Amino acid sequence: MSAYAIRLFGDPVLRQRAPEVLDIDGHLKVLADDMVQTMYEAPGVGLAAPQVGVQKRMFVYDLHDGPRRAHPS
């Protein structure tokens, strides 16, 4: 089961500017891991934090060219 529900086009949260990620800590790693799980179950190749209702300027992606990646933007 996905860690998060993906918000769809038209959801007002997707129009809000998310704040930058300033602290990289264990909570951010857990968020990234949960987002990757959600992305794979969707299925997809990328997922932004606001798409799962988390107001952080962050995304995860997998281009299937190596190890999993998570990057704050």
Side-chain angles (χ1 to χ4, degrees):
M1 178 174 214
S2 294
Y4 291 99
I6 297 175
R7 299 192 180 222
L8 303 175
F9 179 78
D11 189 313
V13 76
L14 299 176
R15 295 185 152 269
Q16 298 173 4
R17 183 173 175 89
E20 293 181 27
V21 173
L22 301 174
D23 297 316
I24 298 175
D25 57 16
H27 296 290
L28 195 67
K29 182 189 180 321
V30 170
L31 172 61
D33 290 342
D34 289 346
M35 286 175 57
V36 167
Q37 175 187 348
T38 301
M39 176 188 71
Y40 284 140
E41 291 177 12
V45 296
L47 186 66
Q51 288 178 281
V52 294
V54 176
Q55 289 300 319
K56 292 187 183 289
R57 206 173 308 168
M58 175 181 151
F59 67 95
V60 295
Y61 69 97
D62 184 354
L63 298 178
H64 305 290
D65 64 348
R68 291 183 182 177
R69 300 164 197 223
H71 292 278
S73 62

